[in-house]
Amino acid sequence: FPEVSPSFTDVLDLQFAQRSIAVVSLSIRGTNGSEGVQSFGGEETNDALTLIDIFKNTEFFKDSPFIVAGSGEGSITALRTASACDDVDGCAVVDCISNVESFIEARGDGVKALFENVIGSTEEYPEEYKLRSAMSFADKIDVPLLILYYKSHPLFPESPEPNEEAGHARLHQQQDQ
């Protein structure tokens, strides 16, 4: 996909950092020559957990609150990290993917092929898709959660499908409880 510039997530990260809040916001593995392979919230989640553990044990970050942040596919990693780590103090996501199967259905064959290339098909690996859908672990996210959406996304100008909106509403409802 073409890069959106400037990245709203980068702007959001900067706002937190300027307030002495440590932000863990990972790029997709393999981006810009980095090592690793993209897994849409699989191994990237372990990367984030490792970074937080390392940073929490350094003098510079020891007393800093930690926010995990992500956009689009990165929201999967941010939400999974927030649900799995006691050291996370908040989570901020832009264009959150709360239900991966619904997202793929709404975005079409190109996105479906992308996910299937990384994870496999939904029929073969339903548990892997469930692991990446915040709907299945929303009850474990017990930190403040900021979810932002573009009114008209520069990469995906169509509005979300009704079932995707319903999924987001359920995620918000579970978060409020």
Side-chain angles (χ1 to χ4, degrees):
F1 296 116
E3 199 167 309
V4 179
S5 185
S7 167
F8 190 75
T9 308
D10 292 343
V11 173
L12 188 62
D13 294 349
L14 182 60
Q15 293 297 313
F16 286 122
Q18 288 176 336
R19 288 160 179 77
S20 299
I21 298 172
V23 181
V24 175
S25 181
L26 299 174
S27 294
I28 297 172
R29 288 173 146 221
T31 300
N32 296 326
S34 68
E35 293 183 14
V37 177
Q38 178 181 19
S39 66
F40 299 118
E43 292 301 316
E44 292 97 343
T45 303
N46 294 333
D47 296 345
L49 293 169
T50 300
L51 271 175
I52 291 168
D53 188 49
I54 290 168
F55 289 162
K56 278 291 186 182
N57 291 302
T58 64
E59 194 62 34
F60 186 76
F61 289 107
K62 187 173 82 177
D63 297 323
S64 296
F66 272 84
I67 301 288
V68 289
S71 177
E73 292 88 346
S75 71
I76 300 168
T77 301
L79 292 166
R80 287 194 68 201
T81 303
S83 73
C85 183
D86 292 336
D87 291 323
V88 170
D89 300 299
C91 181
V93 291
V94 179
D95 280 350
C96 171
I97 300 173
S98 59
N99 183 318
V100 174
E101 288 188 68
S102 175
F103 172 76
I104 291 169
E105 186 179 310
R107 297 299 184 220
D109 290 340
V111 170
K112 180 178 181 179
L114 182 65
F115 273 81
E116 285 183 352
N117 186 47
V118 173
I119 302 170
S121 73
T122 56
E123 294 80 22
E124 286 181 89
Y125 300 100
E127 287 303 312
E128 288 297 316
Y129 283 84
K130 186 176 180 182
L131 277 173
R132 290 163 172 83
S133 295
M135 296 304 303
S136 66
F137 57 81
D139 59 325
K140 294 182 178 85
I141 301 172
D142 62 354
V143 296
L145 176 60
L146 173 64
I147 302 175
L148 300 172
Y149 289 96
Y150 291 97
K151 182 176 180 183
S152 175
H153 193 290
L155 299 179
F156 303 110
E158 305 86 27
S159 61
E161 293 293 315
N163 59 350
E164 189 174 354
E165 289 177 359
H168 298 311
R170 284 194 303 273
L171 177 62
H172 295 284
Q173 181 182 26
Q174 287 179 345
Q175 190 64 38
D176 290 340
Q177 294 177 356

